[in-house]
Amino acid sequence: MWQELRQELRPKGVEVVTVALDVGGEQAAGPWIDQAKPEHPSLIDETHILDELLGVVNVPTGVWVDEEGMIVRPPEPAFPGRAVIAELGLPEGAPERIVEMLTEAAKMNVDPKRYAAAVRDWAEHGAESRFALRPDEVVSRSRPNSPEVSRAAASFELGQALHRAGHAEDAVRWFREAHRLQPDNWTYKRQAWEFVDPILQGPSEQYEGDWLTDVRAIGAENYYPRTDI
């Protein structure tokens, strides 16, 4: 998806950098990157530093940075032209849980064509684009961290450290604490769930929630916040 848009807009000076958030690093994220055969920079954030610095709470999330290195749109849901999961349909013979997950994904509130059009407008008009925000607007949209969010970040970081050190069972306690403190942070949830069930992120003894149950609890239409694009 991003590669198609990048090929179109690269002559106008737009560069796309994709970042996979995965404690598993190259071993976990590398095969997905290799399969996509990207021509743009494709990085792996093993420590979820983007979560910490920019407030990323779900994927896909996009951040616009201009040629001066200034953020002109803070993190927001980013679908560059197509919502691939929603377009997959229900594969014949798929496990029931996969069918249920794809059914919920199809209900999610995304508008890929509108987002791609906004990126094209920015590529064409630069700072004059109505989608490029002033610094004060960017700041006003940035959410200050509450004590709970800060503690959630610390808990998640401790969980990561324990997992990387080979103490996966000890890490669970801190991942659970991060989920409790910031329940709307899907990057925290999905990372922990993937350690137990990489594909389905289903129910487990380690965690109270799972992807399908939690999505249904909030309503799939609320999984991504609405944007003003």
Side-chain angles (χ1 to χ4, degrees), residues 139-157:
V139 171
S140 69
R141 295 184 182 209
S142 302
R143 300 184 301 175
N145 285 346
S146 67
E148 290 77 16
V149 169
S150 295
R151 287 165 53 203
S155 297
F156 187 74
E157 187 170 348

Side-chain angles (χ1 to χ4, degrees), residues 23-57:
V23 174
E26 185 177 356
Q27 182 177 358
W32 296 97
I33 296 174
D34 292 342
Q35 185 176 2
K37 295 180 173 59
E39 297 176 3
H40 57 270
S42 300
L43 311 179
I44 302 173
D45 181 357
E46 296 185 26
T47 59
H48 285 253
I49 194 68
L50 288 183
D51 304 17
E52 179 181 345
L53 296 179
L54 298 178
V56 174
V57 297

Side-chain angles (χ1 to χ4, degrees), residues 10-221:
R10 183 69 177 135
K12 296 185 177 181
V14 173
E15 181 59 283
V16 169
V17 179
T18 54
V19 183
L21 305 175
D22 203 314
V23 174
E26 185 177 356
Q27 182 177 358
W32 296 97
I33 296 174
D34 292 342
Q35 185 176 2
K37 295 180 173 59
E39 297 176 3
H40 57 270
S42 300
L43 311 179
I44 302 173
D45 181 357
E46 296 185 26
T47 59
H48 285 253
I49 194 68
L50 288 183
D51 304 17
E52 179 181 345
L53 296 179
L54 298 178
V56 174
V57 297
N58 208 342
V59 294
T61 286
V63 180
W64 296 9
V65 182
D66 69 13
E67 60 271 27
E68 302 297 328
M70 297 292 293
I71 293 175
V72 297
R73 286 197 76 87
E76 61 190 347
F79 289 85
R82 293 184 292 127
V84 173
I85 293 179
E87 295 175 3
L88 287 176
L90 302 179
E92 184 177 353
E96 181 179 353
R97 190 169 183 87
I98 290 290
V99 172
E100 291 177 324
M101 292 173 71
L102 290 174
T103 298
E104 293 302 317
K107 301 175 186 177
M108 291 177 180
N109 178 41
V110 297
D111 194 340
K113 292 182 179 179
R114 181 174 293 182
Y115 186 85
V119 176
R120 293 185 180 100
D121 188 88
W122 182 41
E124 184 68 31
H125 302 289
E128 300 304 315
S129 169
R130 64 189 180 93
F131 300 106
L133 304 177
R134 301 187 310 272
D136 62 305
E137 292 176 308
V138 172
V139 171
S140 69
R141 295 184 182 209
S142 302
R143 300 184 301 175
N145 285 346
S146 67
E148 290 77 16
V149 169
S150 295
R151 287 165 53 203
S155 297
F156 187 74
E157 187 170 348
L158 182 53
Q160 292 183 73
L162 287 167
H163 189 88
R164 281 192 292 270
H167 304 291
E169 292 184 5
D170 295 327
V172 169
R173 169 191 172 189
W174 296 103
F175 286 142
R176 286 171 62 101
E177 181 67 359
H179 300 172
R180 183 187 71 81
L181 290 165
Q182 193 180 8
D184 65 342
N185 192 317
W186 290 90
T187 61
Y188 289 174
K189 289 182 174 182
R190 293 173 63 176
Q191 180 67 88
W193 294 336
E194 285 176 7
F195 288 139
V196 180
D197 186 349
I199 303 300
L200 301 180
Q201 300 175 32
S204 67
E205 295 180 356
Q206 292 89 336
Y207 299 104
E208 295 179 1
D210 62 84
W211 190 88
L212 184 58
T213 300
D214 284 23
V215 168
R216 284 174 169 170
I218 64 167
E221 67 278 6

